[in-house]
């Protein structure tokens, strides 16, 4: 009895976490669609797409860990959905960082290089990682090189976004900046840094596990590998949709004060309604 329970624990936990990610993505999609309808801004549009991909990834992953037949086809569906969702979230992080940096060209070029690197490893993983049909079920072999590349690429993006956000805050805010605007930049820094740190923790654990452990998922054998995609999906989805919390904080800072009049926040954009300038 205890053996059966132990064998089932990673799978049950992964299903539960995936269900929470699905719920978060559903709520996030509703809010994203509403915000996009109001603003027609790029960031809500990116969030709509990312939440839709999260809604696809969660059930596909549950299907893949429960499937006993058609292993290669199911694994392919899992890998494609995963490598559509995670890089799209990375694009969200990089785009938001570019906006916070005042749309600097250097930041855009570096972000493009990081995205190409992320997507290249994703394509290689789709090609290299395999699933084999066995009498006991699906035997999944994760390619070690590609998962190290994917995790390292994710960590580079996290570090880049954190560093650029902090540098932009020091560069763009001075003693002449209105106090409420300074507070908005402080919130933008906290937003991007905390989001990046949470994603960095997931990517760091995945990288460490990939280097130190076996990456095979053997039917009937408990493995941390079963949990990593579901935990990653949940953390990424939560990190995406926490944007609405930070948006309310930023708007709250500027609301109802003469110093904040004529300024409004639309997602990551600061808009001066007098001249239409944005940051």
């Amino acid at each position: 009895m205890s053996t059966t329970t132990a064998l089932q624990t990673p799978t049950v936990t992964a299903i539960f976490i995936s269900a929470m990610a699905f719920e978060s993505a559903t709520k996030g999609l509703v809010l994203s669609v509403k915000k996009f309808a109001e603003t027609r801004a790029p960031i809500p549009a990116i969030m709509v797409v990312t939440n839709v991909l999260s809604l696809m990834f969660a059930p596909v992953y549950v299907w893949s860990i429960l499937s006993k037949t058609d292993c290669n086809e199911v694994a392919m569906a899992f890998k494609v959905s995963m490598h559509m969702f995670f890089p799209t979230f990375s694009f969200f992080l990089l785009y938001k960082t570019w906006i916070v940096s005042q749309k600097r060209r250097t930041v855009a070029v570096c972000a493009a290089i990081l995205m190409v690197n992320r997507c290249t490893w994703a394509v290689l993983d789709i090609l290299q990682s395999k699933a084999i049909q066995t009498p006991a079920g699906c035997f999944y072999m994760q390619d070690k090189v590609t998962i190290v590349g994917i995790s390292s690429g994710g960590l580079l993006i996290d570090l880049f976004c954190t560093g650029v956000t902090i540098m932009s805050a020091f560069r763009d805010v001075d003693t002449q900046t209105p106090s409420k605007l300074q507070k908005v930049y402080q919130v933008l820094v906290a937003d991007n840094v905390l989001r990046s740190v949470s994603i960095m923790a997931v990517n760091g654990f995945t990288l460490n596990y990939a280097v130190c452990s076996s990456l095979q998922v053997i039917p009937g054998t408990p493995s941390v590998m079963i949990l990593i995609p579901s935990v990653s999906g949940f953390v990424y989805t939560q990190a995406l949709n926490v944007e609405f919390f930070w948006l309310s904080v930023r708007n709250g800072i500027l609301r109802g004060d003469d110093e904040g009049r004529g300024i409004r926040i639309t997602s990551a954009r600061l808009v001066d309604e007098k001249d239409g300038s944005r940051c």
Side-chain angles (χ1 to χ4, degrees):
M1 181 69 175
S2 59
T3 303
T4 302
T5 303
L7 292 176
Q8 293 177 345
T9 298
T11 301
V12 172
T13 305
I15 292 171
F16 179 73
I17 295 173
S18 295
M20 291 194 298
F22 189 88
E23 179 188 21
S24 176
T26 302
K27 294 177 180 177
L29 179 60
V30 172
L31 293 173
S32 300
V33 169
K34 181 181 178 181
K35 180 58 66 176
F36 178 71
E38 293 173 353
T39 65
R40 300 292 175 178
I43 287 181
I46 297 170
M47 293 180 70
V48 169
V49 174
T50 311
N51 275 306
V52 168
L53 292 174
S54 179
L55 286 172
M56 292 172 54
F57 170 66
V60 168
Y61 180 60
V62 171
W63 175 41
S64 71
I65 60 178
L66 294 178
S67 180
K68 301 295 183 183
T69 59
D70 301 320
C71 297
N72 203 41
E73 292 80 2
V74 173
M76 178 61 71
F78 152 64
K79 289 186 293 183
V80 170
S81 64
M82 177 175 66
H83 291 313
M84 290 174 65
F85 170 49
F86 291 161
T88 304
F89 176 83
S90 295
F91 179 77
F92 163 77
L93 279 184
L94 291 167
Y95 183 84
K96 194 164 182 285
T97 301
W98 177 61
I99 296 294
V100 172
S101 76
Q102 303 280 6
K103 298 184 176 180
R104 289 184 171 88
R105 183 176 181 180
T106 304
V107 173
V109 171
C110 292
I113 292 172
L114 289 169
M115 272 305 300
V116 169
N117 176 68
R118 188 79 160 84
C119 293
T120 300
W121 284 113
V123 171
L124 289 174
D125 185 59
I126 292 174
L127 297 175
Q128 297 297 324
S129 298
K130 305 293 182 183
I132 299 175
Q133 182 80 49
T134 69
C138 298
F139 179 76
Y140 187 75
M141 297 180 294
Q142 170 64 51
D143 185 78
K144 185 179 284 285
V145 174
T146 58
I147 196 171
V148 169
I150 290 168
S151 302
S152 300
L155 282 171
L156 287 175
I157 290 173
D158 301 333
L159 292 170
F160 175 76
C161 292
T162 301
V164 169
T165 301
I166 293 173
M167 286 191 295
S168 296
F170 281 109
R171 179 182 297 180
D172 299 329
V173 179
D174 53 36
T175 56
Q176 304 301 317
T177 306
S179 61
K180 281 192 175 289
L181 201 53
Q182 292 180 22
K183 290 180 181 178
V184 168
Y185 268 96
Q186 290 171 3
V187 171
L188 286 171
V189 170
D191 171 10
N192 274 25
V193 170
L194 290 175
R195 181 186 281 115
S196 296
V197 167
S198 65
I199 300 302
M200 201 182 303
V202 173
N203 287 327
F205 175 81
T206 303
L207 178 61
N208 181 71
Y209 187 84
V211 171
C212 301
S213 306
S214 170
L215 300 180
Q216 298 177 344
V217 179
I218 303 171
T221 303
S223 172
V224 175
M225 272 294 296
I226 296 176
L227 293 174
I228 289 176
S230 59
V231 171
S232 299
F234 175 72
V235 173
Y236 275 54
T237 304
Q238 290 288 94
L240 172 73
N241 292 316
V242 77
E243 171 72 11
F244 294 107
F245 166 76
W246 291 112
L247 176 60
S248 66
V249 173
R250 296 194 296 266
N251 282 331
I253 292 173
L254 296 174
R255 190 177 296 122
D257 187 282
D258 290 339
E259 190 177 2
R261 262 178 213 166
I263 302 174
R264 62 187 169 87
I265 297 291
T266 301
S267 192
R269 300 182 306 175
L270 187 61
V271 182
D272 188 329
E273 294 179 337
K274 295 179 180 179
D275 61 12
S277 61
R278 299 174 179 177
C279 68

